[in-house]
Amino acid sequence: MNGAKSLVKTLLASGVDTCFANPGTSEMHFVAALDQVPGMKCVLGLQENIVTGMADGYFRIARKPACTLLHCGPGLANGMANLHNARRARSGIVNIVGDQAIYHRPFDAPLTADTTSMAHTVSQWVRSSNAPAELGRDAAEAVAAAMQYPGQVATLILPADVSWGEGGVVGNPIAVSPPPSIDGNAIESTARTLRSHGADTLILLAGPAVLAEGQKLAWRVAQATGATVMADYVTSHLARGRGRLQLERVPYGMEAAIKTLERFKHIILVNAKPPVGFFGYPGMPSTQYSPDAQLQVLSRPDQDPVEALAALAQVLNAPQVDMPDPGPRPQAASGAPSPEGLAQTVAALMPENSIISDESVSFGRGFYRFSHAAPANDWLHLAGGAIGDGLPVATGAAIGAKRERRVIGLQADGSAMYSLQSLWTQAREQLPVTTIILNNSKYNILIGEYKNVGATPGETAMSMLDLGNPSLNWVGLANAMGVEAARATTMEECADLMTSSFGKTAPFVIELMI
Amino acid sequence: MNGAKSLVKTLLASGVDTCFANPGTSEMHFVAALDQVPGMKCVLGLQENIVTGMADGYFRIARKPACTLLHCGPGLANGMANLHNARRARSGIVNIVGDQAIYHRPFDAPLTADTTSMAHTVSQWVRSSNAPAELGRDAAEAVAAAMQYPGQVATLILPADVSWGEGGVVGNPIAVSPPPSIDGNAIESTARTLRSHGADTLILLAGPAVLAEGQKLAWRVAQATGATVMADYVTSHLARGRGRLQLERVPYGMEAAIKTLERFKHIILVNAKPPVGFFGYPGMPSTQYSPDAQLQVLSRPDQDPVEALAALAQVLNAPQVDMPDPGPRPQAASGAPSPEGLAQTVAALMPENSIISDESVSFGRGFYRFSHAAPANDWLHLAGGAIGDGLPVATGAAIGAKRERRVIGLQADGSAMYSLQSLWTQAREQLPVTTIILNNSKYNILIGEYKNVGATPGETAMSMLDLGNPSLNWVGLANAMGVEAARATTMEECADLMTSSFGKTAPFVIELMI
């Protein structure tokens, strides 16, 4: 058995059965092994950032890692931005990068690169396998590393000769270590703060704490103590809609965030990091909380927030409570497209248990307030700030949901152009993804940031901020990649297109002119 | 004056007047400075690999560096594959990467990344500027590093507070060191080999040695000594057509390369590295030359091959000779598309002094033989093996040629999908680029490599090698990005479309069904 076969068998034995791929020459023995060993579903992406973004979206919904297949250092480089996002989202990915044969590396052939150094910048675990006999064990360790709670990017570099060499041994699945347990002192200390200062305390949730179970426990604690619950702005995946909290995230804008947080004298961090600005700005602090606020860590990002919150609720004797009623489901909006209208329409029409991939950037800042009363849904965000994850995350999420759930993409146009090749994979795999492209023909977030610099953009600046010359035609782009599409200029048109696409098991693009 | 203004003024004073850009929030003060200080032409790319690929193409034609503007580590990551290619092409680029404010870095905001480590994997020179007062000097040094013969990728990391902070000082242009001079002993030794063993000797040219002047000198030496002249396979830019050598490159395929080189007992390396395989293959050597061959370095990749070859010709008393006649210009081909037919048609129809951006991959292996008798032209290749440079290199080359020369892209479809956003920039800048997309709906090179593994691709393998489900419509993709396009299924149709597009100062895409 060659190394490649031992690798495929180890992955399957460890529960990894989906491979997002863009292979090259040095991976052909691995491709052949995937052909010969049945059981792995292989999904092609036409550029590597699609591949890695799909693996991220897959994990967020399937809650188990897929593997990737990338070609040498430059193939890894192409997929690094969405690995950066996945690392920030704490998504588990077994990131497999084919590379030059070990003996061929010193010859510095054109595709030779410092793949290991590249990998370290976006991975929590990196190994370059050294021999066919070690590859199975290396792969089992990579899977365990990817599954380390809540999830990690584990990069396994696969030299071509380790892949083709004989002597492969299937690796035994490795038991994943449980997350580090919660410190009893942290629970007691947090309980004391909440008992004494509940009304001045913010419980800030991030990571798995914003999924359904964590929200319920946090709500119990808040009801018992008068504390406020919010989600970190940097949150990859929230449970939303009926039966969940009407959570708001800390605002993106620095001034709004500072204003929102200033009244809290205590902030309890539940898998969250202390809230800081996305960027530094002249004359403003880096942190968003009050200089007088006391920060307490209830659970670190690598600990189980449900364990922590359950223990906290128990110590506080917090009674069981119903989740708050979000009010009546909104109706679809009419007239000119607006952020509120789109959020209401999505909430009005989405099927139960939908997945929302939200990379709406500036247009979507106010979506939450108008979509709390939607049916229960999973709402996915860009967690690492590297734009271009919305389309591939939607694609991977649809596969992670075994095509059984409707995926709705709320997608800014500028970001969509980073990874438009995703639409082709959606067509190839016939995925139930409805993407609403928000076409404003500009990098609107940057025009806002430019104005913060204190000036109106002139001709040279607008040559870098405006996408309107020529206009992108998203119906044409989608059609050319095999995806049906139509343009909407009113909310009624948008609603009609959404309703009809929700009845189909195929992708659809709505180009909403905003 | 803030740092950003000192940066723009330093770049302009150092002769850098073109900026390929995809900015973000942390670069807004630099964008504002570009607005306020006149003189920099800014060209937007809709994804960073377009930006860096354009800078590479610009250098190859303008023979001076442009600067880029990228957004944080992940923006650099998106552009790294084409920086890898530029590094291999020895193209000079001043690669400017905006980053978090220095004081904001420790807060690990979402876009924070190890930008410096990323940059080192693709750059010959890296610096993160530390203060506004140092930025001008840093920029002048970056330009000098980029211009170091024959060209280098120089990455200047620009923290936001270094950009917005006051105290900027314009840097004085720095004199670029001349390339290290040629060792007289190397010339004497090479001359001795050529005198004694000319008929068994290969003069292998790479880098600037394959431009017009180097070719003339190499031909004089070859005529005087009976040596053979070839170009390295890894060559980013050849002078071709009438008045130039009918050079062939060392073949890509390992067996063909070994067969081509086996008869040479001596190989003179003129800016070339010893020829090695693009990849290692089971049971084959890494090197392509005969085990008995003696290698001699006439000039290193960072030395001036014209100086070396001129000295060699003088020592050999090689007389002036005419360049060989390539025979009559071919006629445009007819009938079904074929590699020979396309090469002949391009040679028949291209305007004098055209630029060819050739990322034709498997279809293009035989183009040279049928295009020696074209008018004089510059023929550009992928030097680093990271596919996706053809379209952006063509775009940047057109700007480097001040829109005064016809650029013809010979572009495989799979590679084109990596960087299709380039077409939008071509439309925005109204560039005279005619791109012939070779639509075979598959990664044909990989199907060939798979067969080398010893098997026929099965269903799983083909799910990763075939692009035909759904078919990509390149006319639709081009139109949707503002580029006129048409499909050709015969060489006559292709020739007609080429002729009509050559008369326009706007981009055009021909989708050639092969």
Side-chain angles (χ1 to χ4, degrees):
Chain A
M1 175 163 55
N2 67 14
K5 274 196 187 171
S6 75
L7 171 57
V8 176
K9 289 183 176 186
T10 303
L11 291 168
L12 290 168
S14 304
V16 175
D17 58 12
T18 303
C19 176
F20 297 99
N22 186 279
T25 298
S26 41
E27 291 77 58
M28 278 304 110
H29 289 83
F30 185 43
V31 171
L34 289 166
D35 228 12
Q36 290 153 11
V37 180
M40 188 73 77
K41 164 73 180 165
C42 297
V43 179
L44 178 61
L46 296 186
Q47 194 262 8
E48 290 87 347
N49 217 33
I50 316 306
V51 172
T52 54
M54 289 194 292
D56 183 0
Y58 175 93
F59 176 85
R60 297 196 205 175
I61 297 303
R63 306 309 297 177
K64 68 172 193 169
C67 65
T68 64
L69 175 51
L70 307 176
H71 180 43
C72 295
L76 170 60
N78 279 332
M80 270 168 62
N82 273 337
L83 289 171
H84 168 92
N85 288 328
R87 179 174 73 92
R88 293 292 186 187
R90 297 299 304 247
S91 291
I93 297 176
V94 181
N95 183 46
I96 300 175
V97 185
D99 211 351
Q100 297 287 0
I102 294 171
Y103 68 83
H104 198 61
R105 282 181 184 160
F107 294 93
D108 195 36
L111 268 169
T112 309
D114 186 354
T115 310
T116 300
S117 288
M118 289 180 185
H120 275 291
T121 66
V122 289
S123 315
Q124 285 100 340
W125 183 99
V126 177
R127 185 175 300 167
S128 185
S129 194
N130 282 315
E134 297 172 12
L135 179 56
R137 184 207 65 199
D138 291 338
E141 291 190 25
V143 176
M147 293 173 70
Q148 184 60 49
Y149 187 86
Q152 300 193 116
V153 177
T155 297
L156 178 63
I157 298 169
L158 175 62
D161 51 347
V162 173
S163 185
W164 79 54
E166 289 300 318
V169 180
V170 179
N172 292 318
I174 292 173
V176 179
S177 319
S181 60
I182 306 295
D183 178 20
N185 186 41
I187 293 162
E188 289 296 340
S189 161
T190 303
R192 273 196 301 279
T193 298
L194 283 164
R195 280 196 205 99
S196 314
H197 308 288
D200 299 331
T201 300
L202 172 66
I203 301 173
L204 187 62
L205 308 180
V210 291
L211 300 183
E213 210 175 349
Q215 288 186 18
K216 279 192 182 158
L217 291 162
W219 183 238
R220 266 175 71 191
V221 169
Q223 289 297 90
T225 61
T228 301
V229 183
M230 289 193 79
D232 192 1
Y233 178 76
V234 183
T235 296
S236 64
H237 180 177
L238 283 97
R240 300 197 63 229
R242 193 162 298 277
R244 280 78 184 263
L245 281 188
Q246 287 99 64
L247 270 180
E248 287 289 344
R249 296 194 293 166
V250 175
Y252 174 84
M254 199 65 196
E255 287 177 25
I258 289 172
K259 202 170 159 55
T260 300
L261 298 180
E262 68 184 357
R263 77 176 181 87
F264 297 110
K265 301 281 182 288
H266 299 269
I267 299 180
I268 312 293
L269 300 169
V270 187
N271 289 50
K273 298 201 295 184
V276 301
F278 225 80
F279 297 102
Y281 292 92
M284 300 195 89
S286 282
T287 53
Q288 297 173 325
Y289 46 88
S290 160
D292 303 327
Q294 299 294 320
L295 304 185
Q296 278 184 279
V297 176
L298 177 66
S299 51
R300 302 194 310 249
D302 60 338
Q303 292 179 305
D304 180 358
V306 171
E307 178 194 340
L309 289 164
L312 180 63
Q314 190 171 26
V315 166
L316 289 167
N317 286 316
Q320 298 286 347
V321 288
D322 289 337
M323 293 298 274
D325 184 351
R329 187 171 182 177
Q331 297 203 305
S334 60
S338 67
E340 312 80 72
L342 180 58
Q344 285 166 2
T345 303
V346 169
L349 302 179
M350 70 164 79
E352 181 84 23
N353 210 22
S354 288
I355 298 164
I356 315 296
S357 179
D358 178 354
E359 198 184 24
S360 51
V361 192
S362 57
F363 194 76
R365 292 277 154 71
F367 280 173
Y368 269 29
R369 194 147 55 96
F370 303 96
S371 54
H372 288 310
N377 64 79
D378 286 285
W379 196 287
L380 310 182
H381 285 288
L382 174 64
I387 61 171
D389 93 332
L391 292 174
V393 160
T395 309
I399 293 169
K402 301 178 189 300
R403 299 173 174 71
E404 291 167 0
R405 299 170 62 182
R406 172 61 44 181
V407 179
I408 301 170
L410 304 174
Q411 182 62 53
D413 54 353
S415 308
M417 274 306 281
Y418 273 65
S419 46
L420 73 164
Q421 302 94 334
S422 310
L423 296 175
W424 181 85
T425 301
Q426 292 180 9
R428 184 175 181 89
E429 300 291 332
Q430 286 293 292
L431 300 176
V433 182
T434 305
T435 303
I436 303 171
I437 299 277
L438 307 166
N439 189 339
N440 65 3
S441 293
K442 54 181 85 79
Y443 289 132
N444 203 32
I445 187 173
L446 296 185
I447 293 174
E449 297 280 2
Y450 190 98
K451 287 176 182 157
N452 286 341
V453 172
T456 307
E459 194 178 334
T460 301
M462 283 307 287
S463 77
M464 291 181 276
L465 306 177
D466 142 64
L467 311 177
N469 173 29
S471 294
L472 290 160
N473 178 340
W474 280 95
V475 173
L477 289 169
N479 289 166
M481 288 185 275
V483 174
E484 266 197 274
R487 181 171 285 189
T489 56
T490 65
M491 285 317 305
E492 289 89 339
E493 287 170 2
C494 185
D496 287 349
L497 292 168
M498 285 166 69
T499 304
S500 74
S501 85
F502 292 165
K504 295 176 191 166
T505 54
F508 194 86
V509 165
I510 301 168
E511 181 179 33
L512 183 64
M513 309 308 285
I514 62 174
Chain B
M1 175 163 55
N2 67 15
K5 272 197 188 172
S6 75
L7 172 56
V8 176
K9 289 184 177 186
T10 303
L11 291 167
L12 290 168
S14 303
V16 175
D17 57 13
T18 303
C19 176
F20 297 100
N22 187 278
T25 298
S26 41
E27 291 77 58
M28 279 304 111
H29 289 83
F30 185 43
V31 171
L34 289 166
D35 228 12
Q36 290 153 10
V37 180
M40 188 75 77
K41 164 73 180 166
C42 296
V43 178
L44 178 61
L46 295 187
Q47 196 261 7
E48 290 88 345
N49 217 33
I50 315 307
V51 172
T52 53
M54 289 193 292
D56 183 358
Y58 175 92
F59 176 85
R60 296 195 206 175
I61 296 304
R63 304 313 293 179
K64 66 174 194 168
C67 66
T68 65
L69 175 52
L70 307 176
H71 180 43
C72 294
L76 170 60
N78 279 332
M80 270 168 62
N82 273 337
L83 289 172
H84 169 92
N85 289 328
R87 180 174 72 93
R88 293 292 187 186
R90 298 297 304 247
S91 291
I93 297 176
V94 181
N95 183 46
I96 300 175
V97 186
D99 211 350
Q100 297 287 359
I102 294 171
Y103 68 83
H104 198 61
R105 283 180 183 161
F107 294 93
D108 196 37
L111 268 169
T112 309
D114 186 354
T115 310
T116 301
S117 288
M118 291 181 184
H120 275 291
T121 66
V122 289
S123 314
Q124 285 102 337
W125 184 99
V126 178
R127 184 175 300 168
S128 185
S129 193
N130 282 316
E134 296 171 12
L135 179 56
R137 184 208 64 200
D138 291 338
E141 291 191 25
V143 176
M147 292 174 71
Q148 184 61 49
Y149 187 85
Q152 299 192 114
V153 177
T155 296
L156 177 63
I157 298 170
L158 175 63
D161 51 346
V162 173
S163 186
W164 79 53
E166 289 299 319
V169 180
V170 179
N172 291 319
I174 292 172
V176 180
S177 319
S181 60
I182 306 294
D183 178 20
N185 186 43
I187 293 162
E188 289 296 339
S189 161
T190 303
R192 271 196 302 279
T193 298
L194 284 163
R195 280 196 204 99
S196 312
H197 309 287
D200 299 331
T201 300
L202 172 66
I203 301 172
L204 187 63
L205 309 180
V210 291
L211 300 182
E213 212 175 346
Q215 288 186 20
K216 279 192 182 159
L217 291 161
W219 183 240
R220 267 176 68 190
V221 169
Q223 288 296 91
T225 61
T228 302
V229 183
M230 290 192 78
D232 192 0
Y233 179 76
V234 183
T235 295
S236 64
H237 180 178
L238 282 95
R240 299 197 63 229
R242 193 163 299 276
R244 280 78 184 264
L245 281 189
Q246 288 99 64
L247 270 179
E248 287 290 342
R249 296 194 294 166
V250 175
Y252 174 84
M254 198 66 195
E255 288 177 26
I258 290 172
K259 202 170 159 52
T260 300
L261 298 180
E262 67 185 357
R263 77 176 181 86
F264 297 110
K265 301 282 182 285
H266 300 269
I267 300 180
I268 311 293
L269 300 169
V270 187
N271 288 52
K273 298 200 298 185
V276 300
F278 223 81
F279 298 103
Y281 293 92
M284 300 195 90
S286 282
T287 52
Q288 297 173 325
Y289 46 89
S290 161
D292 302 328
Q294 300 294 320
L295 304 184
Q296 277 183 280
V297 176
L298 178 67
S299 51
R300 302 195 311 249
D302 60 338
Q303 292 179 305
D304 180 357
V306 171
E307 178 194 340
L309 288 165
L312 181 63
Q314 191 170 25
V315 166
L316 288 167
N317 286 318
Q320 298 285 347
V321 286
D322 289 337
M323 294 299 273
D325 184 350
R329 186 170 182 175
Q331 296 205 304
S334 59
S338 67
E340 312 79 73
L342 180 58
Q344 284 165 1
T345 304
V346 169
L349 302 179
M350 71 164 78
E352 180 83 23
N353 210 20
S354 288
I355 297 164
I356 315 296
S357 178
D358 179 353
E359 198 184 25
S360 52
V361 192
S362 58
F363 194 76
R365 292 277 154 70
F367 280 173
Y368 269 29
R369 194 147 55 96
F370 303 95
S371 54
H372 288 309
N377 64 80
D378 285 285
W379 197 287
L380 309 182
H381 284 288
L382 175 63
I387 61 171
D389 92 332
L391 292 175
V393 161
T395 309
I399 293 169
K402 303 179 189 299
R403 299 174 173 70
E404 289 166 1
R405 299 170 62 183
R406 171 61 44 181
V407 179
I408 301 170
L410 305 175
Q411 182 62 52
D413 54 352
S415 308
M417 274 306 281
Y418 273 66
S419 45
L420 73 163
Q421 301 93 336
S422 310
L423 295 175
W424 181 85
T425 301
Q426 291 180 9
R428 185 177 182 88
E429 300 293 331
Q430 286 294 292
L431 301 176
V433 182
T434 305
T435 304
I436 303 171
I437 300 277
L438 307 166
N439 189 341
N440 64 3
S441 293
K442 54 180 88 77
Y443 289 132
N444 203 34
I445 187 173
L446 296 184
I447 292 174
E449 296 280 1
Y450 190 97
K451 287 176 182 159
N452 286 341
V453 172
T456 307
E459 194 178 335
T460 301
M462 282 307 288
S463 77
M464 291 180 278
L465 305 178
D466 142 65
L467 311 177
N469 174 30
S471 293
L472 289 161
N473 177 341
W474 279 97
V475 174
L477 289 170
N479 288 165
M481 288 184 275
V483 174
E484 265 197 275
R487 180 170 286 188
T489 57
T490 65
M491 285 318 306
E492 289 88 340
E493 287 170 2
C494 185
D496 287 348
L497 291 168
M498 285 165 69
T499 303
S500 74
S501 85
F502 293 166
K504 294 175 191 168
T505 54
F508 193 85
V509 165
I510 301 169
E511 181 178 34
L512 184 64
M513 309 307 286
I514 62 173

